[in-house]
């Protein structure tokens, strides 16, 4: 009987130990980034920056009016040739068109007459001096000859200046040349056209587009949001993913009664020629407030259940989800009022996959 009782006790003891082993929980392994995931993520430090505000305006690209020249014909006549078209790039001094003009004959005649008069006056002075030395005339005659020579020289100088202005070479052909290097942005001339000598309209416009202007329209309600020196980012329909940087350098204090808008100007470098005059543009300007806050890239944000989160990174085994309070979002930057410390690192790429893994 005793042996039976002992056997039962031993059996109960073994059963009890077995149950304890069954209910003992297994330790859960901590989250760790795989090598592949570690290589795919991007990190950005939390930084304190001045709070900025962005405002967007619409406008257009315009040629720099200080490098924009109207070309007028100095003579009338028949257009023999037109050597350029709209949009062509021309260099200073390049012949844009040629005109056969009777006016050039008069210019050439004036130059010829001035040369003849100068030779005659020089001879007269020489003779007057010789006669004076031979007591055949008076000193007054010599002075008169000198005066006539000076008048001939002045006339020759004037005729030469006019000839230079008209760019007279030979014959009656007048060449219209480019006054600066740039693009032909307007053309009002065709071959065989008859130009009147009293024409008041220009025949070409040449614009140097090394620098261009972005002219922005500012509604009355937004005038207080802009000021000189504000940073500006300009984009166009032609290159929507490219940003051209500049600053507001002039504000035109006049409101157009038709649009109820004021204009402001941004000067842009256009060495590569991508900004085309008259193309539409969007201009985003930025102003700074007298306050600062912690910032993270907007792409690091995760929105879930009407709350904002980021994934903070210390090491591949120390990754945490942090809820943050957003102060404001301005383009690519989000200003944070709570939830982060300066210098922390947040994940800005593939963070949503990690967020889901940590929440499961």
């Amino acid at each position: 009987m005793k042996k039976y009782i002992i056997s039962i006790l031993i059996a109960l003891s073994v059963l009890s130990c077995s149950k304890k082993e069954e209910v003992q929980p297994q330790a859960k392994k901590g989250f760790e980034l795989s090598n592949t995931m570690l290589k795919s993520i991007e990190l950005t430090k939390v930084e304190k920056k001045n709070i900025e505000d962005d405002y967007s305006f619409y406008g257009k690209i315009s040629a720099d009016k200080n490098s924009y020249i109207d070309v007028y014909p100095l003579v009338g006549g028949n257009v023999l040739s037109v050597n350029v078209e709209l949009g062509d790039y021309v260099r200073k001094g390049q012949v844009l068109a040629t005109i056969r003009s009777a006016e050039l004959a008069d210019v050439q005649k004036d130059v010829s007459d001035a040369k003849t008069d100068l030779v005659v006056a020089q001879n007269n002075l020489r003779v007057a001096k010789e006669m004076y030395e031979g007591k055949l005339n008076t000193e007054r005659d010599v002075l008169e000859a000198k005066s006539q020579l000076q008048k001939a020289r002045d006339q020759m100088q004037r005729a030469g200046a006019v000839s230079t202005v008209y760019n007279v070479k030979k014959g009656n052909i007048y060449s219209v040349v480019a006054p600066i290097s740039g693009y032909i942005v307007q053309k009002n001339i065709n071959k065989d056209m008859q130009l009147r000598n009293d024409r008041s309209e220009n025949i070409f416009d040449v614009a140097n587009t090394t620098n261009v202007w972005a002219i922005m329209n500012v509604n009355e309600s937004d005038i207080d949001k802009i000021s000189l020196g504000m940073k500006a980012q300009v984009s166009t329909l032609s290159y929507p993913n490219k940003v051209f940087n500049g600053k507001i350098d002039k504000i035109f204090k006049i409101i157009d009664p038709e649009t109820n808008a004021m204009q402001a100007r941004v000067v842009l470098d256009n060495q590569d020629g991508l900004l085309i005059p008259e193309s539409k543009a969007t201009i985003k300007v930025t102003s700074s407030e007298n306050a600062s806050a912690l910032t993270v890239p907007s792409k690091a944000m995760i929105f879930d259940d009407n709350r904002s989160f980021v994934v903070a990174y210390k090491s591949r085994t120390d990754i945490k989800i942090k809820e943050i309070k957003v102060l404001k979002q301005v383009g690519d930057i989000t200003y944070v009022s709570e939830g982060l410390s300066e210098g922390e690192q947040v994940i800005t790429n593939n963070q949503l996959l990690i967020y889901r893994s940590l929440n499961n």
Side-chain angles (χ1 to χ4, degrees), residues 117-132 137-153:
D117 291 344
L118 180 60
V119 172
V120 170
Q122 289 172 336
N123 288 332
N124 287 342
L125 177 60
R126 178 178 57 79
V127 171
K129 286 181 177 180
E130 291 175 353
M131 293 179 67
Y132 177 72
N137 65 1
T138 65
E139 184 178 1
R140 181 176 180 180
D141 294 325
V142 175
L143 294 175
E144 179 66 22
K146 286 183 178 180
S147 176
Q148 292 300 319
L149 177 60
Q150 185 58 48
K151 289 180 180 179
R153 284 172 175 165

Side-chain angles (χ1 to χ4, degrees), residues 1-18:
M1 184 67 179
K2 290 182 178 180
K3 290 182 179 180
Y4 177 74
I5 293 173
I6 292 172
S7 298
I8 293 173
L9 292 173
I10 292 172
L12 291 172
S13 176
V14 172
L15 182 62
S16 174
C17 289
S18 176

Side-chain angles (χ1 to χ4, degrees), residues 23-173:
V23 299
Q24 184 177 357
Q26 186 175 359
K28 186 177 179 180
K29 185 179 180 181
F31 179 83
E32 181 177 343
L33 281 182
S34 66
N35 290 333
T36 302
M37 183 62 75
L38 186 62
K39 292 179 180 179
S40 70
I41 66 171
E42 295 176 1
L43 302 174
T44 301
K45 282 188 177 182
V46 178
E47 297 180 338
K48 181 173 285 189
K49 295 181 180 180
N50 287 334
I51 299 175
E52 296 183 336
D53 295 302
D54 283 351
Y55 306 100
S56 291
F57 301 92
Y58 296 99
K60 69 175 183 178
I61 302 300
S62 174
D64 184 342
K65 298 302 182 184
N66 296 321
S67 301
Y68 189 105
I69 297 182
D70 297 329
V71 181
Y72 293 86
L74 298 181
V75 298
N78 180 253
V79 179
L80 295 181
S81 67
V82 178
N83 305 325
V84 294
E85 296 294 338
L86 276 175
D88 286 354
Y89 181 80
V90 297
R91 297 191 177 279
K92 182 177 180 179
Q94 181 177 333
V95 176
L96 308 180
T98 57
I99 303 169
R100 179 184 285 117
S101 174
E103 295 176 49
L104 293 186
D106 295 335
V107 174
Q108 289 176 314
K109 182 178 182 301
D110 290 342
V111 173
S112 179
D113 291 345
K115 286 181 179 179
T116 300
D117 291 344
L118 180 60
V119 172
V120 170
Q122 289 172 336
N123 288 332
N124 287 342
L125 177 60
R126 178 178 57 79
V127 171
K129 286 181 177 180
E130 291 175 353
M131 293 179 67
Y132 177 72
E133 292 174 358
K135 308 297 183 181
L136 298 176
N137 65 1
T138 65
E139 184 178 1
R140 181 176 180 180
D141 294 325
V142 175
L143 294 175
E144 179 66 22
K146 286 183 178 180
S147 176
Q148 292 300 319
L149 177 60
Q150 185 58 48
K151 289 180 180 179
R153 284 172 175 165
D154 292 342
Q155 182 59 32
M156 182 64 202
Q157 186 175 4
R158 284 194 294 270
V162 172
S163 177
T164 301
V165 169
Y166 281 85
N167 196 26
V168 175
K169 300 274 171 79
K170 289 184 179 180
N172 59 352
I173 307 302

Side-chain angles (χ1 to χ4, degrees), residues 43 46 309-315 318-322 339-340 344-347 351 354 358:
L43 302 174
V46 178
F309 302 90
V310 294
V311 178
Y313 175 94
K314 286 187 177 180
S315 69
D318 190 354
I319 300 174
K320 295 179 182 178
I321 296 173
K322 290 197 171 186
L340 291 172
E344 282 190 275
Q345 293 190 106
V346 296
I347 300 176
Q351 72 272 21
I354 300 172
L358 291 170

Side-chain angles (χ1 to χ4, degrees), residues 223-237:
I223 289 177
D224 63 335
K225 296 174 183 176
I226 67 168
S227 60
L228 288 175
M230 288 180 68
K231 293 184 294 184
Q233 295 181 320
V234 180
S235 59
T236 63
L237 292 176

Side-chain angles (χ1 to χ4, degrees), residues 227-287:
S227 60
L228 288 175
M230 288 180 68
K231 293 184 294 184
Q233 295 181 320
V234 180
S235 59
T236 63
L237 292 176
S238 303
Y239 302 95
N241 297 322
K242 187 173 179 61
V243 174
F244 303 87
N245 295 299
K247 291 182 179 180
I248 296 178
D249 83 318
K250 186 173 182 62
I251 297 175
F252 301 91
K253 297 290 186 178
I254 298 175
I255 296 178
D256 188 332
E258 295 184 3
T259 62
N260 291 324
M262 186 178 71
Q263 291 187 328
R265 182 181 72 192
V266 178
V267 177
L268 300 169
D269 179 35
N270 191 36
Q271 293 284 349
D272 52 10
L274 298 180
L275 294 169
I276 303 171
E278 302 305 318
S279 60
K280 304 300 181 185
T282 300
I283 302 101
K284 184 174 71 173
V285 298
T286 304
S287 64

